[in-house]
Amino acid sequence: MRQKVFVIGLISLVTVLAIGWYGNARPRFDATPDTFLLGTVWPDPRPLPELELLDHRGAQIGRDQFKGQWTMMFFGYTSCPDICPTTMLTLRSVVAEMEKTGAIAPRVALVTVDPERDDAPTLARYVAHFNEDFIGLRGGDDGLRALSMHVGAMFEHEAADENGSYEIAHSASLFLIDPEARLHAVFSPPHNPADIAEKLIAIRARYEQG
């Protein structure tokens, strides 16, 4: 457990450093003492790379499928014991917070970092447990690595035990993709649903104003 905490901490540190490297002059939402929520909005949003993914229904998902709507992307896996279910519950609450105000919530996409175990039926059951509108995405290792490195999501497979079971240490950041299929903002943990919902509404308003 101590080793796992160290690895997750290291991944989080690398993610923060990557964010700092990319956006030296970025505007930033002020973190409040109550939530310590970091919301980083890129001054020049980065277009997503070409993608070859499959959703939990088996449909092919490329970069163009991210156009025309906002998407909140999270990298995790269905057998994750802690970070993933907590984050998915947070995302469910974010959607509920936005719907209460009449705002349009972004689509939520879980990108699995464990495609060997997370087949389409497994992903379908998992995302539907949190919200029937959430989608699960999976892809080959090369494409997954390229996408994760592009947005700044880090993950590392741990050694399997004698039964072949293993866990995957990964960052818990949320990645906001805009209607032009670009990485628009990153939300680092800890996550507060009401705060994220408020900032998503502000980001959308700013985007629509040009």
Side-chain angles (χ1 to χ4, degrees):
M1 178 61 71
R2 185 176 301 171
Q3 182 181 10
K4 179 183 177 183
V5 171
F6 171 76
V7 172
I8 292 175
L10 180 60
I11 288 174
S12 299
L13 175 60
V14 172
T15 302
V16 170
L17 291 176
I19 290 172
W21 171 82
Y22 181 75
N24 287 332
R26 67 188 182 279
R28 177 184 295 181
F29 290 117
D30 291 330
T32 68
D34 294 331
T35 63
F36 298 99
L37 176 67
L38 174 65
T40 303
V41 180
W42 298 143
D44 298 306
R46 304 180 65 188
L48 292 179
E50 292 295 337
L51 302 173
E52 294 184 3
L53 303 173
L54 294 174
D55 71 10
H56 65 270
R57 301 180 182 90
Q60 293 187 340
I61 303 294
R63 183 172 61 190
D64 286 348
Q65 277 65 54
F66 286 91
K67 293 182 178 180
Q69 61 186 316
W70 292 89
T71 302
M72 187 71 92
M73 184 181 292
F74 171 63
F75 289 76
Y77 64 111
T78 64
S79 52
C80 174
D82 38 40
I83 295 175
C84 297
T86 300
T87 304
M88 294 294 282
L89 285 171
T90 296
L91 289 168
R92 182 172 70 182
S93 296
V94 169
V95 171
E97 287 285 342
M98 297 184 73
E99 289 177 344
K100 283 195 304 187
T101 66
I104 300 176
R107 175 178 62 174
V108 173
L110 168 66
V111 181
T112 180
V113 296
D114 191 15
E116 290 188 7
R117 293 185 295 188
D118 289 344
D119 57 17
T122 300
L123 275 175
R125 289 191 298 270
Y126 188 79
V127 296
H129 174 74
F130 298 97
N131 188 304
E132 291 186 354
D133 292 328
F134 287 6
I135 64 172
L137 299 176
R138 60 194 303 272
D141 187 65
D142 290 344
L144 175 61
R145 289 284 180 183
L147 174 60
S148 65
M149 291 298 293
H150 187 83
V151 301
M154 307 298 180
F155 64 94
E156 187 66 36
H157 286 239
E158 297 182 357
D161 61 21
E162 63 275 8
N163 298 316
S165 298
Y166 58 88
E167 294 185 13
I168 303 173
H170 61 92
S171 51
S173 295
L174 305 174
F175 304 92
L176 182 64
I177 312 302
D178 68 24
E180 297 174 64
R182 305 176 303 178
L183 175 62
H184 198 96
V186 178
F187 295 90
S188 299
H191 299 128
N192 178 281
D195 204 355
I196 293 177
E198 179 183 355
K199 289 173 172 59
L200 287 176
I201 293 171
I203 288 172
R204 183 176 184 132
R206 185 184 305 171
Y207 174 86
E208 292 176 349
Q209 292 171 359

